[in-house]
Amino acid sequence: MSVNAFYKASLNEVEDSVIESTLTSILLHKERYNVGIPYKWEQGGWTVLDDKEACVSNMTHVTTPENLQQYPPLYFENLMLPYIYPHIDRWIEKYKPELDGVPYHTKSSWYMIYGKDKDTYTPRHNHSGQGSRTNGGSEIECCSGCFYLQSPGDDSRTFEYYTDKNEQVVIKPKNKDLLLFPSDMYHSAYQKSSGIESIAIAFNVLFYKDDNDGINGQK
């Protein structure tokens, strides 16, 4: 899909109290379940790169049943339904109009905590193939996204995406910024040690393939 499908919006309408309650939930979740670097990242060699460490995350694994996940999931409905879903609707209307109105979900969601006392990163990757690996391959990829609950908004914290010509585009996300992009778009992220911990929510948007998968009371 064209790089023009990259979408950025500032969700200033999100109440500060919603941000604060979500941050509280994330930090309590991290402490209760001793959340660290996901084993998938450790196995894939994402732990350390050029003296940078991978971020802390409760990232879900689409091929693993929910009750066997390394860390319990959080779905962030207080942000998704009233604030983020309207922007996903706009993205679909513009970039996937043939699927406008088809039900979708963001069950594939997780938080990422970038440390304040060390350089932290997420290496270049994409989210391609999520639909074929989720729910027995019965879902269709829509897009992926990030929402920034807490971010410096300067050179110390960046999100990079890559065009079809492999050109890097650098974003400096700030609080309440939302990014949406095609799931097959390569991207990466980095935070310099700056004394400020940044926290973001990442997610995949997946369409249900048809009306006979149980979501409308049918079996």
Side-chain angles (χ1 to χ4, degrees), residues 29 57-67 69 71-81 84-85 88 103-111 127 130-131 133-136 138-145 201-210 213-216 219:
H29 183 279
S57 176
N58 73 321
M59 187 196 71
T60 57
H61 309 278
V62 295
T63 57
T64 303
E66 182 174 315
N67 65 317
Q69 290 286 347
Y71 306 114
L74 291 175
Y75 297 126
F76 313 109
E77 289 97 334
N78 61 326
L79 282 165
M80 290 292 178
L81 292 171
I84 294 177
Y85 274 28
I88 295 173
Y104 60 79
H105 67 83
T106 52
K107 293 178 184 178
S108 176
S109 58
W110 59 97
Y111 60 76
H127 298 181
Q130 294 292 315
R133 297 194 298 270
T134 301
N135 195 21
S138 65
E139 299 180 1
I140 300 172
E141 293 173 20
C142 173
C143 61
S144 298
I201 293 169
F203 54 90
N204 293 308
V205 184
L206 295 171
F207 293 107
Y208 296 98
K209 184 172 287 186
D210 57 45
D213 54 13
I215 63 170
N216 294 320
K219 300 295 183 184

Side-chain angles (χ1 to χ4, degrees), residues 26-218:
I26 288 172
L27 294 174
L28 287 172
H29 183 279
K30 175 181 178 293
E31 181 179 0
R32 175 176 288 271
Y33 299 107
N34 194 27
V35 177
I37 297 172
Y39 62 74
K40 179 179 179 180
W41 294 358
E42 293 176 337
Q43 293 173 346
W46 286 21
T47 307
V48 178
L49 176 67
D50 298 332
D51 298 324
K52 298 187 291 290
E53 294 189 12
C55 66
V56 167
S57 176
N58 73 321
M59 187 196 71
T60 57
H61 309 278
V62 295
T63 57
T64 303
E66 182 174 315
N67 65 317
L68 298 177
Q69 290 286 347
Q70 184 180 8
Y71 306 114
L74 291 175
Y75 297 126
F76 313 109
E77 289 97 334
N78 61 326
L79 282 165
M80 290 292 178
L81 292 171
Y83 300 110
I84 294 177
Y85 274 28
H87 290 270
I88 295 173
D89 292 342
R90 292 171 201 164
W91 193 95
I92 293 170
E93 182 179 2
K94 184 171 183 179
Y95 299 113
K96 286 187 178 287
E98 71 279 8
L99 293 170
D100 191 17
V102 175
Y104 60 79
H105 67 83
T106 52
K107 293 178 184 178
S108 176
S109 58
W110 59 97
Y111 60 76
M112 300 175 294
I113 302 176
Y114 290 77
K116 60 183 179 180
D117 300 321
K118 58 190 175 184
D119 289 2
T120 317
Y121 81 113
T122 302
R124 176 171 168 162
H125 66 290
N126 68 15
H127 298 181
S128 183
Q130 294 292 315
S132 63
R133 297 194 298 270
T134 301
N135 195 21
S138 65
E139 299 180 1
I140 300 172
E141 293 173 20
C142 173
C143 61
S144 298
C146 291
F147 179 72
Y148 293 85
L149 296 158
Q150 182 172 292
S151 186
D154 57 28
D155 291 340
S156 66
R157 178 71 164 92
T158 59
F159 175 96
E160 304 87 28
Y161 69 90
Y162 300 83
T163 70
D164 298 337
K165 296 181 179 179
N166 203 34
E167 298 168 331
Q168 185 189 73
V169 180
V170 178
I171 305 293
K172 302 172 186 176
K174 62 182 185 302
N175 295 352
K176 302 184 182 181
D177 275 356
L178 171 68
L179 309 180
L180 297 173
F181 48 91
S183 295
D184 62 356
M185 176 177 281
Y186 279 92
H187 56 284
S188 56
Y190 173 62
Q191 177 165 319
K192 297 178 184 177
S193 175
S194 61
I196 300 175
E197 189 173 65
S198 66
I199 301 177
I201 293 169
F203 54 90
N204 293 308
V205 184
L206 295 171
F207 293 107
Y208 296 98
K209 184 172 287 186
D210 57 45
D211 290 336
N212 297 314
D213 54 13
I215 63 170
N216 294 320
Q218 303 178 35

